[in-house]
Structures are given as C-alpha cells and as structure tokens.
C-alpha cells in the first residue's frame, strides 16, 4: 500500500480520477494493523474502480488535522476531490464496503 504525504496529497488523492480510500494510521496502532487486510482485499476486488493509500498521522499531522482525524484508524473515501464517507475504528470489512460502495 502506498504512503502519501502532504506534498503528494493534492495530486494523488484530491486530483485522482477514481475514488481513493485514505487510511489514516500510525505504526504503533494495533487496530490499524487489524483493518489493513480488509482494505487491501477491497482494493484488490474493486480493481480499477478504486485506489488505496495510507497517511501516517505521526508524520502528517497537518493532513490529519485538516480532515478531522481524532482517532485511529480512520479511513476516508475521497471522490471528486472531496471526502464522501468515513469509517472510524477497527470495523468489519462489510462496514467499509457498505459505506464506500455508493461512491465507487
């Protein structure tokens, strides 16, 4: 999974022609590790319809603050340059699919 920083966020996420799942995480966050396989599976199954990237909140506090990330994990789906849906916490895979599918 690709890690995106502030310098590339505008182009890689906001300017993407397809929806982007942005996983706001930290290396010390165990629940973040727990959802990673779900996100990878969804991205693989949805193929060309979606992209998956990560933002390390320890390194990119400005981005996490800009999007109101107060707890980890937080996954935000961006489409058309705007946040469309957000899932907080270590949720089951079905929650991510339900929340993000309408925008993909």
């Amino acid at each position: 999974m690709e890690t995106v920083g502030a310098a590339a966020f505008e182009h890689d996420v906001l300017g993407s022609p397809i929806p982007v799942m942005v996983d706001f995480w930290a290396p010390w966050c165990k629940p973040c590790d727990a959802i990673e396989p779900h996100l990878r599976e969804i991205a693989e199954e949805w193929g060309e319809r979606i992209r998956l990237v990560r933002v390390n909140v320890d390194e990119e506090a400005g981005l996490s603050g800009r999007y109101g990330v107060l707890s980890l994990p937080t996954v935000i789906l961006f489409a058309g340059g705007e946040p469309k849906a957000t899932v907080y916490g270590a949720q089951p895979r079905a929650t991510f699919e339900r929340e993000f599918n309408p925008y993909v």
Side-chain angles (χ1 to χ4, degrees), residues 1 17 24 30 34 39 55 57 59 75 77 87 90 94-95 97:
M1 183 180 338
F24 288 88
K30 296 302 178 195
L39 300 178
V55 171
V57 299
E59 297 173 356
V75 183
L77 181 88
V87 175
T95 302
E97 291 174 327

Side-chain angles (χ1 to χ4, degrees), residues 54-66:
R54 292 182 117 181
V55 171
N56 183 331
V57 299
D58 289 340
E59 297 173 356
E60 301 293 343
L63 278 177
S64 56
R66 178 177 173 185

Side-chain angles (χ1 to χ4, degrees), residues 2-84:
E2 177 186 356
T3 298
V4 174
F9 196 84
E10 182 80 29
H11 178 267
D12 292 351
V13 176
L14 302 181
S16 176
I18 61 172
V20 181
M21 282 189 294
V22 180
D23 178 16
F24 288 88
W25 74 290
W28 46 263
C29 173
K30 296 302 178 195
C32 297
D33 292 341
I35 68 164
E36 182 182 354
H38 300 318
L39 300 178
R40 286 183 185 273
E41 289 169 3
I42 292 167
E44 185 176 305
E45 287 176 16
W46 290 357
E48 303 279 325
R49 300 183 301 152
I50 197 165
R51 187 164 172 234
L52 173 62
V53 300
R54 292 182 117 181
V55 171
N56 183 331
V57 299
D58 289 340
E59 297 173 356
E60 301 293 343
L63 278 177
S64 56
R66 178 177 173 185
Y67 293 103
V69 175
L70 299 175
S71 64
L72 296 179
T74 295
V75 183
I76 303 174
L77 181 88
F78 288 81
E82 298 290 327
K84 299 292 185 182

